[in-house]
Amino acid sequence: MGKGTKAMTKPVLVTGGAGYIGSHAVLALRDAGRAVVVIDDLSNGVREAVPGDVELIVGDIADKALVSDSIRRHDIREIMHFAGSVRVEESVADPLKYYDNNTAKSRILIDEARKSGVTHFIFSSTAATYGIPKITCVTEETETLPINPYGWSKLMTEQMLRDTVAAHPGFNVAILRYFNVAGADPKGRTGQRTKNATHLIKVASEVAAGKRPGMEIFGTDYETKDGTCVRDYIHVSDLARAHVDVLAWLHKNGPMGLFNCGYGTGYSVREVLAAVSKVSGSQLQTTDAARRAGDPPSLISNASLIRETVGWTPNFDDLETIVRTAYIWEKSLDQAPARSI
């Protein structure tokens, strides 16, 4: 039995596993037969998002003793790192928070992981690293020039990981750059619970479910098909499974991988809102507003590399499917949360 095979019999440590994307990754790992341990400080995540039989370690990834002890106790060799801050507008208003949460704390986690014998590390990055690209569909080779602190905070962590891989043979890393993540687990096991969310489909689902009276469309004068921002939306369950597939790929092909995660199709804000209205059967109340700081006009992926190299194939590549799962989840939040995951 090789080293990689041995590592895959041990639990995967998921940071931020009580959050939106992290909780879906926990389910994807379990669906693949893997054991999981979660570290989350619950600043954004919630206990209910973690299955009852999965150990939740409540704490900060910057707590060196906590991280090293957790790795030692569970004999961790693989980490999926989701913990961090994700709001573009907030990063513009409070950049140091993002350089702390996303960059400085990641440095501590990476250092403790390497020192403690972790061999495989998957990093949750973002398409915000591309800034405002000069081409329609960005590849992994497209120039990275972020236009907001969120994107810079993630790009800095990417560089730390590259340098660590170069300096320490045996430490293998894959970086996944997400485009716009949306939707919820089709089985209703988890979804987005973020309070005061800013993600378009989440906010629109709240309006459709009667939890908000209306919403704003930030920017209607972009040079796009209808004047509103265009984004590439990926279903969160497809993204979660991409992490599992990439982890298996990394064991066979390390030491480094970089992959865009999207579908390669762009939808405008107005097109997304039309889809939410169709799925929910309700007309959304919207108000046109000024552009938000740090928002690029259009961001679409060329994600052929992860399909061709890793063999990842999406199951939910359809806007209405994404919207429907998000809306059904939003409606379910009115009910008592279930723990039978």
Side-chain angles (χ1 to χ4, degrees):
M1 185 181 288
K3 291 182 179 180
T5 305
K6 287 182 180 179
M8 295 181 77
T9 64
K10 304 176 188 298
V12 179
L13 180 62
V14 178
T15 73
Y20 174 41
I21 301 174
S23 67
H24 284 83
V26 169
L27 294 180
L29 284 163
R30 284 162 56 86
D31 289 347
R34 298 300 307 274
V36 183
V37 176
V38 169
I39 290 182
D40 199 301
D41 66 3
L42 301 183
S43 59
N44 291 308
V46 296
R47 288 181 180 273
E48 290 77 16
V50 180
D53 59 349
V54 169
E55 181 174 350
L56 169 62
I57 302 165
V58 179
D60 195 325
I61 60 167
D63 184 334
K64 294 182 180 181
L66 177 74
V67 171
S68 61
D69 178 67
S70 300
I71 292 172
R72 178 188 56 78
R73 284 194 301 112
H74 294 282
D75 199 13
I76 299 295
R77 294 294 177 266
E78 303 158 300
I79 292 179
M80 290 187 181
H81 177 31
F82 298 93
S85 300
V86 299
R87 296 181 178 181
V88 169
E89 190 175 29
E90 181 186 46
S91 80
V92 175
D94 191 1
L96 294 182
K97 173 181 177 179
Y98 279 67
Y99 293 124
D100 182 30
N101 286 352
N102 293 354
T103 311
K105 290 185 178 183
S106 290
R107 189 209 67 78
I108 294 171
L109 174 69
I110 295 163
D111 190 35
E112 290 304 311
R114 184 193 63 78
K115 289 177 180 177
S116 300
V118 170
T119 57
H120 293 79
F121 192 101
I122 309 293
F123 177 54
S124 165
S125 192
T126 172
T129 56
Y130 294 115
I132 302 177
K134 297 176 182 179
I135 59 176
T136 302
C137 293
V138 300
T139 72
E140 291 80 1
E141 301 300 320
T142 300
E143 180 184 19
T144 49
L145 190 61
I147 61 170
N148 52 61
Y150 170 57
W152 279 113
S153 71
K154 290 287 192 174
L155 188 60
M156 289 177 180
T157 302
E158 287 189 14
Q159 189 60 48
M160 284 193 295
L161 286 165
R162 288 190 183 90
D163 293 341
T164 303
V165 168
H168 299 284
F171 187 70
N172 304 276
V173 169
I175 296 166
L176 276 63
R177 290 178 178 160
Y178 309 165
F179 284 69
N180 279 47
V181 188
D185 175 55
K187 297 180 181 178
R189 296 173 293 178
T190 190
Q192 192 170 10
R193 291 177 169 90
T194 311
K195 294 180 179 179
N196 302 315
T198 58
H199 292 81
L200 177 62
I201 291 177
K202 168 70 171 177
V203 172
S205 295
E206 289 177 341
V207 174
K211 299 179 181 181
R212 297 189 188 213
M215 61 184 293
E216 294 179 308
I217 298 176
F218 296 103
T220 58
D221 58 350
Y222 289 101
E223 292 184 6
T224 58
K225 47 191 167 185
D226 60 18
T228 63
C229 287
V230 172
R231 295 289 184 269
D232 183 348
Y233 294 90
I234 178 172
H235 194 286
V236 63
S237 294
D238 277 339
L239 177 62
R241 191 169 48 78
H243 286 74
V244 178
D245 292 349
V246 167
L247 181 57
W249 174 89
L250 190 62
H251 275 278
K252 297 177 181 178
N253 301 278
M256 188 78 202
L258 170 64
F259 302 100
N260 283 341
C261 293
Y263 293 148
T265 304
Y267 295 99
S268 73
V269 171
R270 294 197 190 281
E271 287 175 326
V272 170
L273 297 184
V276 176
S277 292
K278 179 180 179 181
V279 165
S280 66
S282 60
Q283 186 62 41
L284 306 184
Q285 296 298 314
T286 64
T287 304
D288 292 348
R291 297 182 182 188
R292 291 186 301 191
D295 271 351
S298 180
L299 202 54
I300 304 171
S301 73
N302 178 332
S304 59
L305 184 64
I306 191 171
R307 294 178 186 240
E308 296 169 4
T309 303
V310 176
W312 171 77
T313 302
N315 293 324
F316 308 107
D317 183 1
D318 174 73
L319 181 61
E320 281 195 23
T321 299
I322 294 172
V323 166
R324 183 175 297 105
T325 59
Y327 176 67
I328 291 172
W329 170 257
E330 195 60 46
K331 294 287 286 184
S332 78
L333 292 177
D334 296 330
Q335 304 168 8
R339 288 305 301 250
S340 56
I341 297 179

